[in-house]
């Protein structure tokens, strides 16, 4: 004790050194205390396994979550007729994953009935505006029907469930259902170029087609894709392939998969086919321009021929949607 007292007495003879040592000691103690508090607060080293909530009722899922020291948060709801209302359809994190106690698990439950939403009046607007308004309302385009009109890609009429929608109509429809739009197209319109859709989710692919005045054709899903995991599926093939010029209102067929390897492989093939189609389109346009020049006509005097994908289809796509 005397030695320690003597050491402190001698140390105090050097105020600067004494103060530095005191500060260092205080910082060390604070760091140790903070570490211990964090360990207790975050339950360091403590883990629990997330149960599989899919297929059980919400009240049962809540009791199971409490038992495992977890929290549930309803993140979304769907209406799947095959399941009872209130059944858990999906979750994040998935069942079997190890997490810290107190973690929030986000779940999607099945609605008791399909949600109804007002149908907006979109006639008189551009196709892009109409598409955006419908998507904001929770609806989509069922079909684009083109009619001769000077206002190309402007909505002339709107129908929902076979009934006309007017400015005075007060109509509701199930969320996610489709609306038929009658759209104008000028005479001799040259059509539109098919976009590249490989790698896109279904809803993104649909949006790109609608914006360009094209319809969604046959949609084919690989085995294992259902209403719950459909959002994760991606397009890995389309007919016609990208860069073909086709008439407004034409349909584009899609095939989707959850296989990331297949998607990666098909992206390279799709880019190759798109490049070939673009070169063929430019070659035809140049030939037509040369022909018109030889006749002393301008390109505006006639419309370029629309490509016919069926005649130019790659062997890789043969029988694709049979």
């Amino acid at each position: 004790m005397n030695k320690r007292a003597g050491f402190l007495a001698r140390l105090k003879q050097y105020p600067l050194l004494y103060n530095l040592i005191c500060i260092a000691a205080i910082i060390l103690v604070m760091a140790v205390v903070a570490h211990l508090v964090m360990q207790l607060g975050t339950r360091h080293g403590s883990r629990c396994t997330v149960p599989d909530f899919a297929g059980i009722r919400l009240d049962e899922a809540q009791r199971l979550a409490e038992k495992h020291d977890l929290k549930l948060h309803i993140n979304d709801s769907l209406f799947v007729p095959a399941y009872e209302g209130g059944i858990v359809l999906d979750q994040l994190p998935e069942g079997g994953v190890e997490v810290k106690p107190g973690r929030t698990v986000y779940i999607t439950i099945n609605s008791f009935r399909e949600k109804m939403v007002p149908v907006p009046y979109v006639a008189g607007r551009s196709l892009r505006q109409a598409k955006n308004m419908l998507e904001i309302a929770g609806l989509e385009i069922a079909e684009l029907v083109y009619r001769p009109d000077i206002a190309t890609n402007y909505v002339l009429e709107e129908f929902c469930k076979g009934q006309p929608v007017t400015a005075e109509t007060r109509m509701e429809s199930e969320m996610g259902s489709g609306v038929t739009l009658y759209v104008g197209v000028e005479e001799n319109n040259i059509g539109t170029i098919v976009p590249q859709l490989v790698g896109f989710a279904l809803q993104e692919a649909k949006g790109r087609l609608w914006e360009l005045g094209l319809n969604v054709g046959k949609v084919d899903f690989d085995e294992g894709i259902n209403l719950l995991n459909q959002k994760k599926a991606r397009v890995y093939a389309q007919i016609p392939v990208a860069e073909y010029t086709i008439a407004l209102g034409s349909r584009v067929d899609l095939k989707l998969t959850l296989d990331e390897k297949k998607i990666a492989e098909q992206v390279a093939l799709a880019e190759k086919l798109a490049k070939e189609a673009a070169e063929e389109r430019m070659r035809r346009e140049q030939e037509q321009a040369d022909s018109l020049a030889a006749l002393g006509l301008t390109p505006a005097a006639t419309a370029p021929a629309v490509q016919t994908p069926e005649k130019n289809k790659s062997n890789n796509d043969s029988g694709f949607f049979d």
Side-chain angles (χ1 to χ4, degrees), residues 28-58:
L28 179 62
V29 170
M30 289 177 65
V32 171
V33 171
H35 177 70
L36 293 174
V37 170
M38 288 182 65
Q39 294 282 74
L40 293 172
T42 59
R43 305 184 194 183
H44 183 71
S46 180
R47 311 286 289 181
C48 66
T49 302
V50 178
D52 186 1
F53 297 110
I56 64 177
R57 297 184 61 83
L58 179 58

PDB file of all heavy atoms in Angstrom, residues 28-58:
ATOM      1  N   LEU A  28     -10.151   3.789 -21.111  1.00  0.00           N
ATOM      2  CA  LEU A  28     -10.132   2.325 -21.104  1.00  0.00           C
ATOM      3  C   LEU A  28     -11.344   1.769 -20.361  1.00  0.00           C
ATOM      4  O   LEU A  28     -12.008   0.838 -20.831  1.00  0.00           O
ATOM      5  CB  LEU A  28      -8.831   1.833 -20.458  1.00  0.00           C
ATOM      6  CG  LEU A  28      -8.680   0.309 -20.358  1.00  0.00           C
ATOM      7  CD1 LEU A  28      -8.674  -0.312 -21.756  1.00  0.00           C
ATOM      8  CD2 LEU A  28      -7.384  -0.047 -19.621  1.00  0.00           C
ATOM      9  N   VAL A  29     -11.646   2.383 -19.206  1.00  0.00           N
ATOM     10  CA  VAL A  29     -12.805   1.921 -18.423  1.00  0.00           C
ATOM     11  C   VAL A  29     -14.100   2.146 -19.203  1.00  0.00           C
ATOM     12  O   VAL A  29     -14.978   1.271 -19.254  1.00  0.00           O
ATOM     13  CB  VAL A  29     -12.862   2.664 -17.064  1.00  0.00           C
ATOM     14  CG1 VAL A  29     -14.187   2.373 -16.344  1.00  0.00           C
ATOM     15  CG2 VAL A  29     -11.686   2.240 -16.187  1.00  0.00           C
ATOM     16  N   MET A  30     -14.229   3.310 -19.844  1.00  0.00           N
ATOM     17  CA  MET A  30     -15.438   3.614 -20.630  1.00  0.00           C
ATOM     18  C   MET A  30     -15.599   2.636 -21.798  1.00  0.00           C
ATOM     19  O   MET A  30     -16.711   2.190 -22.114  1.00  0.00           O
ATOM     20  CB  MET A  30     -15.373   5.052 -21.155  1.00  0.00           C
ATOM     21  CG  MET A  30     -15.536   6.113 -20.067  1.00  0.00           C
ATOM     22  SD  MET A  30     -15.357   7.782 -20.711  1.00  0.00           S
ATOM     23  CE  MET A  30     -16.777   7.868 -21.809  1.00  0.00           C
ATOM     24  N   ALA A  31     -14.501   2.286 -22.456  1.00  0.00           N
ATOM     25  CA  ALA A  31     -14.549   1.361 -23.585  1.00  0.00           C
ATOM     26  C   ALA A  31     -14.994  -0.027 -23.133  1.00  0.00           C
ATOM     27  O   ALA A  31     -15.810  -0.686 -23.793  1.00  0.00           O
ATOM     28  CB  ALA A  31     -13.184   1.276 -24.258  1.00  0.00           C
ATOM     29  N   VAL A  32     -14.466  -0.474 -21.988  1.00  0.00           N
ATOM     30  CA  VAL A  32     -14.846  -1.788 -21.455  1.00  0.00           C
ATOM     31  C   VAL A  32     -16.328  -1.802 -21.086  1.00  0.00           C
ATOM     32  O   VAL A  32     -17.061  -2.755 -21.405  1.00  0.00           O
ATOM     33  CB  VAL A  32     -13.976  -2.161 -20.234  1.00  0.00           C
ATOM     34  CG1 VAL A  32     -14.520  -3.417 -19.551  1.00  0.00           C
ATOM     35  CG2 VAL A  32     -12.529  -2.370 -20.656  1.00  0.00           C
ATOM     36  N   VAL A  33     -16.790  -0.735 -20.431  1.00  0.00           N
ATOM     37  CA  VAL A  33     -18.203  -0.651 -20.035  1.00  0.00           C
ATOM     38  C   VAL A  33     -19.111  -0.631 -21.282  1.00  0.00           C
ATOM     39  O   VAL A  33     -20.133  -1.321 -21.329  1.00  0.00           O
ATOM     40  CB  VAL A  33     -18.458   0.601 -19.176  1.00  0.00           C
ATOM     41  CG1 VAL A  33     -19.962   0.819 -18.954  1.00  0.00           C
ATOM     42  CG2 VAL A  33     -17.749   0.469 -17.839  1.00  0.00           C
ATOM     43  N   ALA A  34     -18.742   0.167 -22.294  1.00  0.00           N
ATOM     44  CA  ALA A  34     -19.545   0.254 -23.522  1.00  0.00           C
ATOM     45  C   ALA A  34     -19.620  -1.095 -24.215  1.00  0.00           C
ATOM     46  O   ALA A  34     -20.666  -1.500 -24.727  1.00  0.00           O
ATOM     47  CB  ALA A  34     -18.943   1.298 -24.468  1.00  0.00           C
ATOM     48  N   HIS A  35     -18.485  -1.806 -24.246  1.00  0.00           N
ATOM     49  CA  HIS A  35     -18.466  -3.128 -24.877  1.00  0.00           C
ATOM     50  C   HIS A  35     -19.400  -4.098 -24.164  1.00  0.00           C
ATOM     51  O   HIS A  35     -20.153  -4.844 -24.803  1.00  0.00           O
ATOM     52  CB  HIS A  35     -17.036  -3.661 -24.870  1.00  0.00           C
ATOM     53  CG  HIS A  35     -16.903  -5.046 -25.433  1.00  0.00           C
ATOM     54  ND1 HIS A  35     -17.062  -5.322 -26.777  1.00  0.00           N
ATOM     55  CD2 HIS A  35     -16.662  -6.251 -24.815  1.00  0.00           C
ATOM     56  CE1 HIS A  35     -16.908  -6.621 -26.974  1.00  0.00           C
ATOM     57  NE2 HIS A  35     -16.682  -7.205 -25.811  1.00  0.00           N
ATOM     58  N   LEU A  36     -19.355  -4.070 -22.829  1.00  0.00           N
ATOM     59  CA  LEU A  36     -20.218  -4.970 -22.058  1.00  0.00           C
ATOM     60  C   LEU A  36     -21.694  -4.640 -22.261  1.00  0.00           C
ATOM     61  O   LEU A  36     -22.528  -5.541 -22.394  1.00  0.00           O
ATOM     62  CB  LEU A  36     -19.858  -4.879 -20.568  1.00  0.00           C
ATOM     63  CG  LEU A  36     -18.470  -5.419 -20.182  1.00  0.00           C
ATOM     64  CD1 LEU A  36     -18.173  -5.144 -18.712  1.00  0.00           C
ATOM     65  CD2 LEU A  36     -18.399  -6.922 -20.466  1.00  0.00           C
ATOM     66  N   VAL A  37     -22.010  -3.336 -22.321  1.00  0.00           N
ATOM     67  CA  VAL A  37     -23.402  -2.920 -22.530  1.00  0.00           C
ATOM     68  C   VAL A  37     -23.887  -3.368 -23.912  1.00  0.00           C
ATOM     69  O   VAL A  37     -25.019  -3.848 -24.064  1.00  0.00           O
ATOM     70  CB  VAL A  37     -23.532  -1.389 -22.375  1.00  0.00           C
ATOM     71  CG1 VAL A  37     -24.914  -0.917 -22.831  1.00  0.00           C
ATOM     72  CG2 VAL A  37     -23.301  -0.983 -20.923  1.00  0.00           C
ATOM     73  N   MET A  38     -23.042  -3.180 -24.935  1.00  0.00           N
ATOM     74  CA  MET A  38     -23.411  -3.596 -26.291  1.00  0.00           C
ATOM     75  C   MET A  38     -23.607  -5.103 -26.380  1.00  0.00           C
ATOM     76  O   MET A  38     -24.510  -5.594 -27.063  1.00  0.00           O
ATOM     77  CB  MET A  38     -22.350  -3.149 -27.296  1.00  0.00           C
ATOM     78  CG  MET A  38     -22.348  -1.640 -27.543  1.00  0.00           C
ATOM     79  SD  MET A  38     -21.126  -1.167 -28.766  1.00  0.00           S
ATOM     80  CE  MET A  38     -21.782  -1.961 -30.224  1.00  0.00           C
ATOM     81  N   GLN A  39     -22.760  -5.847 -25.692  1.00  0.00           N
ATOM     82  CA  GLN A  39     -22.887  -7.303 -25.696  1.00  0.00           C
ATOM     83  C   GLN A  39     -24.235  -7.724 -25.117  1.00  0.00           C
ATOM     84  O   GLN A  39     -24.910  -8.605 -25.655  1.00  0.00           O
ATOM     85  CB  GLN A  39     -21.752  -7.945 -24.867  1.00  0.00           C
ATOM     86  CG  GLN A  39     -20.373  -7.759 -25.464  1.00  0.00           C
ATOM     87  CD  GLN A  39     -20.125  -8.710 -26.607  1.00  0.00           C
ATOM     88  OE1 GLN A  39     -20.661  -8.531 -27.686  1.00  0.00           O
ATOM     89  NE2 GLN A  39     -19.334  -9.730 -26.381  1.00  0.00           N
ATOM     90  N   LEU A  40     -24.617  -7.047 -24.024  1.00  0.00           N
ATOM     91  CA  LEU A  40     -25.899  -7.375 -23.394  1.00  0.00           C
ATOM     92  C   LEU A  40     -27.067  -6.921 -24.253  1.00  0.00           C
ATOM     93  O   LEU A  40     -28.070  -7.617 -24.404  1.00  0.00           O
ATOM     94  CB  LEU A  40     -25.975  -6.720 -22.002  1.00  0.00           C
ATOM     95  CG  LEU A  40     -25.009  -7.268 -20.950  1.00  0.00           C
ATOM     96  CD1 LEU A  40     -25.063  -6.414 -19.694  1.00  0.00           C
ATOM     97  CD2 LEU A  40     -25.359  -8.721 -20.617  1.00  0.00           C
ATOM     98  N   GLY A  41     -26.936  -5.708 -24.846  1.00  0.00           N
ATOM     99  CA  GLY A  41     -28.036  -5.137 -25.629  1.00  0.00           C
ATOM    100  C   GLY A  41     -28.308  -5.889 -26.909  1.00  0.00           C
ATOM    101  O   GLY A  41     -29.454  -6.036 -27.337  1.00  0.00           O
ATOM    102  N   THR A  42     -27.240  -6.356 -27.564  1.00  0.00           N
ATOM    103  CA  THR A  42     -27.419  -7.056 -28.845  1.00  0.00           C
ATOM    104  C   THR A  42     -27.459  -8.572 -28.697  1.00  0.00           C
ATOM    105  O   THR A  42     -27.565  -9.288 -29.673  1.00  0.00           O
ATOM    106  CB  THR A  42     -26.260  -6.696 -29.811  1.00  0.00           C
ATOM    107  OG1 THR A  42     -25.023  -7.071 -29.205  1.00  0.00           O
ATOM    108  CG2 THR A  42     -26.253  -5.211 -30.113  1.00  0.00           C
ATOM    109  N   ARG A  43     -27.386  -9.033 -27.463  1.00  0.00           N
ATOM    110  CA  ARG A  43     -27.411 -10.480 -27.190  1.00  0.00           C
ATOM    111  C   ARG A  43     -26.373 -11.203 -28.043  1.00  0.00           C
ATOM    112  O   ARG A  43     -26.690 -12.144 -28.778  1.00  0.00           O
ATOM    113  CB  ARG A  43     -28.796 -11.069 -27.459  1.00  0.00           C
ATOM    114  CG  ARG A  43     -29.901 -10.374 -26.704  1.00  0.00           C
ATOM    115  CD  ARG A  43     -31.214 -11.079 -26.939  1.00  0.00           C
ATOM    116  NE  ARG A  43     -32.328 -10.256 -26.501  1.00  0.00           N
ATOM    117  CZ  ARG A  43     -33.595 -10.663 -26.535  1.00  0.00           C
ATOM    118  NH1 ARG A  43     -33.894 -11.846 -26.997  1.00  0.00           N
ATOM    119  NH2 ARG A  43     -34.560  -9.872 -26.124  1.00  0.00           N
ATOM    120  N   HIS A  44     -25.166 -10.714 -27.973  1.00  0.00           N
ATOM    121  CA  HIS A  44     -24.087 -11.248 -28.793  1.00  0.00           C
ATOM    122  C   HIS A  44     -23.937 -12.755 -28.578  1.00  0.00           C
ATOM    123  O   HIS A  44     -23.875 -13.240 -27.453  1.00  0.00           O
ATOM    124  CB  HIS A  44     -22.771 -10.536 -28.444  1.00  0.00           C
ATOM    125  CG  HIS A  44     -21.621 -10.984 -29.285  1.00  0.00           C
ATOM    126  ND1 HIS A  44     -21.507 -10.672 -30.610  1.00  0.00           N
ATOM    127  CD2 HIS A  44     -20.538 -11.764 -28.976  1.00  0.00           C
ATOM    128  CE1 HIS A  44     -20.407 -11.207 -31.099  1.00  0.00           C
ATOM    129  NE2 HIS A  44     -19.803 -11.868 -30.127  1.00  0.00           N
ATOM    130  N   GLY A  45     -23.881 -13.470 -29.692  1.00  0.00           N
ATOM    131  CA  GLY A  45     -23.720 -14.905 -29.623  1.00  0.00           C
ATOM    132  C   GLY A  45     -25.021 -15.663 -29.490  1.00  0.00           C
ATOM    133  O   GLY A  45     -25.056 -16.880 -29.662  1.00  0.00           O
ATOM    134  N   SER A  46     -26.093 -14.937 -29.202  1.00  0.00           N
ATOM    135  CA  SER A  46     -27.398 -15.588 -29.056  1.00  0.00           C
ATOM    136  C   SER A  46     -28.078 -15.677 -30.422  1.00  0.00           C
ATOM    137  O   SER A  46     -28.200 -14.679 -31.119  1.00  0.00           O
ATOM    138  CB  SER A  46     -28.267 -14.781 -28.087  1.00  0.00           C
ATOM    139  OG  SER A  46     -29.528 -15.383 -27.936  1.00  0.00           O
ATOM    140  N   ARG A  47     -28.508 -16.866 -30.808  1.00  0.00           N
ATOM    141  CA  ARG A  47     -29.143 -17.071 -32.113  1.00  0.00           C
ATOM    142  C   ARG A  47     -30.405 -17.909 -31.937  1.00  0.00           C
ATOM    143  O   ARG A  47     -30.535 -18.685 -30.988  1.00  0.00           O
ATOM    144  CB  ARG A  47     -28.203 -17.801 -33.076  1.00  0.00           C
ATOM    145  CG  ARG A  47     -26.801 -17.241 -33.167  1.00  0.00           C
ATOM    146  CD  ARG A  47     -26.755 -15.961 -33.931  1.00  0.00           C
ATOM    147  NE  ARG A  47     -26.985 -16.154 -35.349  1.00  0.00           N
ATOM    148  CZ  ARG A  47     -26.979 -15.167 -36.239  1.00  0.00           C
ATOM    149  NH1 ARG A  47     -26.797 -13.911 -35.825  1.00  0.00           N
ATOM    150  NH2 ARG A  47     -27.180 -15.402 -37.524  1.00  0.00           N
ATOM    151  N   CYS A  48     -31.341 -17.736 -32.897  1.00  0.00           N
ATOM    152  CA  CYS A  48     -32.531 -18.591 -32.926  1.00  0.00           C
ATOM    153  C   CYS A  48     -32.886 -18.872 -34.381  1.00  0.00           C
ATOM    154  O   CYS A  48     -32.527 -18.112 -35.276  1.00  0.00           O
ATOM    155  CB  CYS A  48     -33.703 -17.948 -32.186  1.00  0.00           C
ATOM    156  SG  CYS A  48     -34.344 -16.461 -32.956  1.00  0.00           S
ATOM    157  N   THR A  49     -33.573 -19.971 -34.593  1.00  0.00           N
ATOM    158  CA  THR A  49     -33.950 -20.385 -35.946  1.00  0.00           C
ATOM    159  C   THR A  49     -35.352 -19.889 -36.267  1.00  0.00           C
ATOM    160  O   THR A  49     -36.286 -20.099 -35.485  1.00  0.00           O
ATOM    161  CB  THR A  49     -33.897 -21.915 -36.085  1.00  0.00           C
ATOM    162  OG1 THR A  49     -32.577 -22.363 -35.770  1.00  0.00           O
ATOM    163  CG2 THR A  49     -34.246 -22.337 -37.495  1.00  0.00           C
ATOM    164  N   VAL A  50     -35.498 -19.229 -37.418  1.00  0.00           N
ATOM    165  CA  VAL A  50     -36.805 -18.715 -37.832  1.00  0.00           C
ATOM    166  C   VAL A  50     -37.710 -19.881 -38.223  1.00  0.00           C
ATOM    167  O   VAL A  50     -37.341 -20.691 -39.079  1.00  0.00           O
ATOM    168  CB  VAL A  50     -36.663 -17.746 -39.027  1.00  0.00           C
ATOM    169  CG1 VAL A  50     -38.039 -17.256 -39.479  1.00  0.00           C
ATOM    170  CG2 VAL A  50     -35.771 -16.579 -38.666  1.00  0.00           C
ATOM    171  N   PRO A  51     -38.893 -19.985 -37.616  1.00  0.00           N
ATOM    172  CA  PRO A  51     -39.820 -21.068 -38.001  1.00  0.00           C
ATOM    173  C   PRO A  51     -40.384 -20.813 -39.404  1.00  0.00           C
ATOM    174  O   PRO A  51     -40.348 -19.690 -39.909  1.00  0.00           O
ATOM    175  CB  PRO A  51     -40.939 -20.965 -36.941  1.00  0.00           C
ATOM    176  CG  PRO A  51     -40.435 -20.038 -35.899  1.00  0.00           C
ATOM    177  CD  PRO A  51     -39.422 -19.157 -36.540  1.00  0.00           C
ATOM    178  N   ASP A  52     -40.923 -21.856 -40.004  1.00  0.00           N
ATOM    179  CA  ASP A  52     -41.597 -21.725 -41.295  1.00  0.00           C
ATOM    180  C   ASP A  52     -43.060 -21.385 -41.023  1.00  0.00           C
ATOM    181  O   ASP A  52     -43.839 -22.222 -40.569  1.00  0.00           O
ATOM    182  CB  ASP A  52     -41.485 -23.041 -42.070  1.00  0.00           C
ATOM    183  CG  ASP A  52     -42.042 -22.915 -43.489  1.00  0.00           C
ATOM    184  OD1 ASP A  52     -42.477 -21.806 -43.852  1.00  0.00           O
ATOM    185  OD2 ASP A  52     -42.044 -23.922 -44.218  1.00  0.00           O
ATOM    186  N   PHE A  53     -43.440 -20.129 -41.283  1.00  0.00           N
ATOM    187  CA  PHE A  53     -44.800 -19.672 -41.005  1.00  0.00           C
ATOM    188  C   PHE A  53     -45.762 -19.946 -42.159  1.00  0.00           C
ATOM    189  O   PHE A  53     -46.971 -19.784 -41.997  1.00  0.00           O
ATOM    190  CB  PHE A  53     -44.800 -18.164 -40.718  1.00  0.00           C
ATOM    191  CG  PHE A  53     -44.017 -17.776 -39.496  1.00  0.00           C
ATOM    192  CD1 PHE A  53     -42.818 -17.088 -39.605  1.00  0.00           C
ATOM    193  CD2 PHE A  53     -44.476 -18.103 -38.234  1.00  0.00           C
ATOM    194  CE1 PHE A  53     -42.098 -16.720 -38.486  1.00  0.00           C
ATOM    195  CE2 PHE A  53     -43.763 -17.749 -37.090  1.00  0.00           C
ATOM    196  CZ  PHE A  53     -42.568 -17.057 -37.215  1.00  0.00           C
ATOM    197  N   ALA A  54     -45.243 -20.300 -43.331  1.00  0.00           N
ATOM    198  CA  ALA A  54     -46.093 -20.467 -44.516  1.00  0.00           C
ATOM    199  C   ALA A  54     -47.153 -21.538 -44.288  1.00  0.00           C
ATOM    200  O   ALA A  54     -46.871 -22.633 -43.802  1.00  0.00           O
ATOM    201  CB  ALA A  54     -45.244 -20.828 -45.732  1.00  0.00           C
ATOM    202  N   GLY A  55     -48.393 -21.176 -44.632  1.00  0.00           N
ATOM    203  CA  GLY A  55     -49.482 -22.138 -44.551  1.00  0.00           C
ATOM    204  C   GLY A  55     -50.225 -22.167 -43.240  1.00  0.00           C
ATOM    205  O   GLY A  55     -51.188 -22.922 -43.091  1.00  0.00           O
ATOM    206  N   ILE A  56     -49.811 -21.348 -42.258  1.00  0.00           N
ATOM    207  CA  ILE A  56     -50.517 -21.329 -40.982  1.00  0.00           C
ATOM    208  C   ILE A  56     -51.230 -19.985 -40.803  1.00  0.00           C
ATOM    209  O   ILE A  56     -50.871 -18.988 -41.409  1.00  0.00           O
ATOM    210  CB  ILE A  56     -49.576 -21.610 -39.788  1.00  0.00           C
ATOM    211  CG1 ILE A  56     -48.519 -20.500 -39.660  1.00  0.00           C
ATOM    212  CG2 ILE A  56     -48.891 -22.956 -39.956  1.00  0.00           C
ATOM    213  CD1 ILE A  56     -47.617 -20.686 -38.448  1.00  0.00           C
ATOM    214  N   ARG A  57     -52.252 -19.981 -39.932  1.00  0.00           N
ATOM    215  CA  ARG A  57     -53.037 -18.769 -39.725  1.00  0.00           C
ATOM    216  C   ARG A  57     -52.221 -17.710 -38.992  1.00  0.00           C
ATOM    217  O   ARG A  57     -51.259 -18.011 -38.288  1.00  0.00           O
ATOM    218  CB  ARG A  57     -54.310 -19.088 -38.942  1.00  0.00           C
ATOM    219  CG  ARG A  57     -55.263 -20.036 -39.665  1.00  0.00           C
ATOM    220  CD  ARG A  57     -56.535 -20.219 -38.866  1.00  0.00           C
ATOM    221  NE  ARG A  57     -57.229 -18.952 -38.704  1.00  0.00           N
ATOM    222  CZ  ARG A  57     -58.045 -18.426 -39.623  1.00  0.00           C
ATOM    223  NH1 ARG A  57     -58.262 -19.069 -40.772  1.00  0.00           N
ATOM    224  NH2 ARG A  57     -58.641 -17.268 -39.419  1.00  0.00           N
ATOM    225  N   LEU A  58     -52.631 -16.459 -39.153  1.00  0.00           N
ATOM    226  CA  LEU A  58     -51.876 -15.339 -38.595  1.00  0.00           C
ATOM    227  C   LEU A  58     -51.770 -15.423 -37.078  1.00  0.00           C
ATOM    228  O   LEU A  58     -50.690 -15.190 -36.521  1.00  0.00           O
ATOM    229  CB  LEU A  58     -52.531 -14.019 -39.008  1.00  0.00           C
ATOM    230  CG  LEU A  58     -51.872 -12.740 -38.496  1.00  0.00           C
ATOM    231  CD1 LEU A  58     -50.422 -12.666 -38.960  1.00  0.00           C
ATOM    232  CD2 LEU A  58     -52.639 -11.506 -38.984  1.00  0.00           C
TER     233      LEU A  58
END
